Amino acid sequence: MSEDIILSTSGLTKEFAGFTAVNGVDLSVKRGTIHALIGPNGAGKTTCFNLLTKFLAPTRGSIVYNGRDITRQKPAEIARLGLVRSFQISAVFPQLSVMNNVRIALQRKRGDSFDFWRSEDVLRSLDKEALALVEAVGLSSFADLPAVELSYGRKRALEIATTLALDPEMLLLDEPMAGMGREDIERIATLIRKVSKNRTILMVEHNLSVVASLSDRITVLARGQVLAEGDYVTVSKDPRVVEAYIGSGVGHGH
Amino acid sequence: MAEVLPADGSVAHAAAERSTASLHRNVMIGIAIALVIAPFVAYPVFVMKVLCFALFALAFNLLLGYGGLLSFGHAAYFGMASYVCAYAAKHWGFNPEFAILAGTCVAALLGLVFGSLAIRRQGIYFAMITLALAQMVFFFSLQTPRFTGGEDGIQAVPRGKLFGMINLADDRTLYWVVALIFMGGLLAFYRIIHSPFGQVCKAIRDNEPRAISLGYRANQYKLAVFVLSATLAGLAGSTKAIVFQLASLTDVHWSMSGEVVLMTLVGGLGTIFGPIVGAIVIVSMQNFLATLGAWVTVIQGVIFVLCVLLFREGILGVIAKWIKKPL
């Protein structure tokens, strides 16, 4: 079971006018692992991520999730299959309270919610579960606050609580630590490790120390192609990787 | 960071929601009382005009304030419903309740067709498509005088007898019917925005990509809220046709779409009761400043600019901020 592949791509390619952002990427993510996608700026990580989450349509290649071809699926549909993404810019519902942010995800269990004639009191049964999730990310004292009033780090925490409310089989995290202070980073890293039990996580992340401590497997992208793959020790010693990072002229905090 | 026990959090959460709900209930009761008193202190036809426009503004606010969709062609649903209701009452001899129902249903259908075209685009493009479609309705109305009466409109629409029994010719009698329709519309609006459906709409309004990533098919919700809004706008337009015994090109003109935007912004976008206040302000202004002629439009323009510059939340938005509770 541990060698089981949950998500794979073959020959995944995305061309924008006159520019190939992602070029023939073959990626395999093993079930139950934390897999990181790294690379210097402009390597195509975010494009790759958007292809996997269906927010972009690939020019060529295919994506298979749990044995099902999802290459042409719409974003809402893959969420329904248990493949849920987070966003780089904190993605909360700013005017909804912290509680209702989480509850809107729990509400998905009811299926579609087109019942405009029913009172929202029917959602009360979800409150307990919502609060438990809010508490799990350390936000219980902010439960009634509109999400817009949270600090950046707490918005990220709320976003993770909302994502977990869907109980997804696989999480795709887009730079979960972007713009965070050291204290927040440690808290979110602990949280990611905690939720990775019984789940698969694929993340794009800039912070290499986070990648080193969290990931089971790392894929390095450069100029839209896979440069290297393996665990952190293997990858960090690969001369091509070192060169790609130095060549890009961007320093990364260790 | 101060941690609160889950039980306390849950209780606090429920208590906060209950106090907001009871505030809203009290405001509703206040509105009902005001509706009972109004015809004795004000001219009933004037109050009915305010109520029709308030209902129209509520419909618009449902779409913009809670669906996040700026339609610049809401006159189409208001005006077309007005025509259909007037035509059905005058030429087919429909009872007023069926004439209003017919107008409302046509507005819903029109909303379904126009909405499914418009929701394919976002932001300013969405607004432009709704405007273009509404202009089509305007020119259609202008070009089909056999149906709309062209420049004359449909005049002398019979108010008829409600359920074939209650004669509505008397303003006072009609007033109670209109007040009930308005109250029904307000309660429907309140229920919609506080339903499981309303929750999803607010989420999509706040952050559409995120709502999609949670598995919500955003376009279906947007279309549904569009149709509901068009339906309520149709109810307002139909009722207006019965009250004034007239359906005219004014009802489908783009300036009507602009007026409803103005009412909603003045009253408070995304507030529950704001559009009612906005309708009262704008309709009163038009009535009491009527002697100034074209200057009314100028004054409206000034108010609009002041509103946008000074209090963007609108009248009730500002009050809601003071009392720290949604209104």
Side-chain angles (χ1 to χ4, degrees):
Chain A
M1 201 63 186
S2 66
E3 291 299 298
D4 186 8
I5 303 296
I6 185 166
L7 181 77
S8 65
T9 70
S10 62
L12 196 62
T13 302
K14 178 68 186 177
E15 289 166 0
F16 296 108
F19 169 69
T20 308
V22 172
N23 191 0
V25 167
D26 299 320
L27 193 69
S28 300
V29 181
K30 282 181 199 154
R31 193 183 299 280
T33 59
I34 300 182
H35 194 125
L37 202 56
I38 65 169
N41 283 335
K45 303 183 296 290
T46 300
T47 307
C48 196
F49 192 85
N50 283 330
L51 290 172
L52 293 175
T53 53
K54 316 313 303 163
F55 278 67
L56 279 175
T59 313
R60 276 187 300 281
S62 65
I63 306 167
V64 176
Y65 170 70
N66 263 340
R68 183 199 290 248
D69 188 328
I70 58 162
T71 314
R72 301 285 157 211
Q73 296 263 28
K74 288 192 176 132
E77 307 311 317
I78 66 153
R80 286 166 181 238
L81 295 174
L83 183 64
V84 178
R85 72 168 290 178
S86 74
F87 291 80
Q88 205 176 110
I89 323 149
S90 71
V92 296
F93 302 112
Q95 297 186 52
L96 302 188
S97 70
V98 168
M99 267 284 278
N100 285 351
N101 261 271
V102 176
R103 206 173 68 176
I104 202 79
L106 291 171
Q107 204 181 319
R108 279 281 304 113
K109 285 187 207 161
R110 311 173 70 230
D112 283 313
S113 288
F114 288 109
D115 41 355
F116 61 81
W117 56 89
R118 204 167 278 150
S119 162
E120 63 188 345
D121 288 346
V122 298
L123 302 175
R124 284 246 186 276
S125 56
L126 303 171
D127 280 1
K128 210 173 156 190
E129 201 178 337
L131 203 70
L133 282 158
V134 166
E135 207 191 23
V137 296
L139 291 176
S140 48
S141 44
F142 306 97
D144 288 311
L145 221 58
V148 67
E149 290 176 27
L150 293 180
S151 70
Y152 184 79
R154 289 190 174 123
K155 276 186 190 142
R156 303 297 315 229
L158 174 57
E159 194 199 328
I160 289 177
T162 307
T163 308
L164 289 178
L166 290 179
D167 193 17
E169 196 179 351
M170 181 168 184
L171 282 169
L172 296 160
L173 305 176
D174 193 3
E175 297 199 24
M177 308 302 179
M180 277 197 183
R182 182 186 296 272
E183 200 182 309
D184 284 331
I185 287 183
E186 272 161 28
R187 200 171 65 208
I188 299 298
T190 313
L191 192 63
I192 290 177
R193 206 172 284 121
K194 203 164 99 188
V195 305
S196 68
K197 302 217 163 58
N198 313 320
R199 286 198 179 83
T200 311
I201 294 178
L202 174 68
M203 62 176 179
V204 169
E205 182 51 56
H206 260 300
N207 187 320
L208 290 187
S209 63
V210 169
V211 170
S213 72
L214 277 180
S215 340
D216 303 309
R217 199 167 178 82
I218 296 166
T219 300
V220 186
L221 286 183
R223 290 188 209 90
Q225 285 171 303
V226 176
L227 195 64
E229 198 175 281
D231 58 19
Y232 185 74
V233 179
T234 318
V235 165
S236 61
K237 284 187 182 141
D238 191 313
R240 289 168 305 172
V241 175
V242 175
E243 194 201 356
Y245 267 89
I246 295 167
S248 75
V250 181
H252 287 273
H254 275 259
Chain B
M1 182 167 50
E3 295 288 349
V4 176
L5 290 171
D8 294 347
S10 182
V11 169
H13 173 73
E17 287 206 341
R18 260 201 307 277
S19 93
T20 305
S22 78
L23 171 70
H24 292 166
R25 195 169 47 240
N26 291 341
V27 175
M28 295 267 196
I29 293 169
I31 291 173
I33 292 170
L35 285 177
V36 172
I37 299 169
F40 300 103
V41 295
Y43 184 45
V45 173
F46 169 73
V47 184
M48 287 192 277
K49 185 178 178 187
V50 169
L51 293 181
C52 289
F53 280 102
L55 190 55
F56 186 26
L58 281 175
F60 178 78
N61 189 36
L62 174 63
L63 191 62
L64 179 57
Y66 296 90
L69 298 169
L70 171 61
S71 155
F72 211 76
H74 249 44
Y77 319 108
F78 182 81
M80 189 47 81
S82 176
Y83 276 132
V84 170
C85 174
Y87 194 89
K90 187 169 180 178
H91 297 289
W92 294 337
F94 273 33
N95 279 348
E97 70 275 14
F98 286 118
I100 290 175
L101 187 66
T104 309
C105 289
V106 167
L109 271 176
L110 201 60
L112 183 66
V113 176
F114 284 8
S116 49
L117 292 169
I119 56 156
R120 291 156 193 268
R121 291 290 172 270
Q122 277 152 355
I124 192 71
Y125 302 102
F126 173 88
M128 287 300 116
I129 292 171
T130 55
L131 174 61
L133 292 170
Q135 284 304 90
M136 276 171 49
V137 169
F138 175 79
F139 288 109
F140 168 81
S141 306
L142 191 64
Q143 299 300 326
T144 52
R146 285 168 63 100
F147 165 51
T148 64
E151 300 275 2
D152 299 330
I154 306 176
Q155 298 180 7
V157 177
R159 283 181 179 174
K161 289 182 174 165
L162 189 69
F163 308 121
M165 296 185 298
I166 308 162
N167 193 345
L168 298 181
D170 178 53
D171 285 346
R172 280 280 166 80
T173 317
L174 180 62
Y175 174 80
W176 299 118
V177 177
V178 173
L180 277 178
I181 289 175
F182 170 77
M183 214 51 211
L186 175 60
L187 289 172
F189 167 81
Y190 191 80
R191 175 42 65 85
I192 291 169
I193 63 170
H194 288 104
S195 67
F197 170 75
Q199 283 293 331
V200 178
C201 287
K202 285 182 240 178
I204 293 171
R205 168 200 69 189
D206 275 11
N207 193 336
E208 186 175 342
R210 180 55 171 162
I212 291 172
S213 82
L214 295 181
Y216 288 109
R217 294 166 177 136
N219 275 353
Q220 295 179 7
Y221 288 88
K222 281 154 84 173
L223 180 58
V225 76
F226 196 99
V227 172
L228 287 171
S229 172
T231 308
L232 272 181
L235 179 62
S238 305
T239 310
K240 200 233 72 173
I242 295 291
V243 171
F244 288 97
Q245 304 183 272
L246 172 73
S248 72
L249 284 172
T250 319
D251 301 338
V252 284
H253 195 247
W254 65 265
S255 61
M256 183 63 82
S257 302
E259 225 158 75
V260 77
V261 177
L262 182 62
M263 288 176 191
T264 308
L265 288 183
V266 167
L269 175 66
T271 63
I272 297 161
F273 305 105
I276 303 172
V277 176
I280 294 172
V281 171
I282 301 297
V283 174
S284 307
M285 224 167 57
Q286 287 170 350
N287 264 48
F288 297 123
L289 303 179
T291 47
L292 297 176
W295 283 99
V296 175
T297 323
V298 176
I299 295 171
Q300 269 185 14
V302 171
I303 288 184
F304 185 80
V305 172
L306 286 180
C307 232
V308 172
L309 288 179
L310 298 179
F311 53 115
R312 221 171 283 186
E313 301 93 352
I315 297 169
L316 276 205
V318 170
I319 297 176
K321 249 189 184 169
W322 280 346
I323 62 170
K324 295 197 170 76
K325 283 221 158 41
L327 271 175

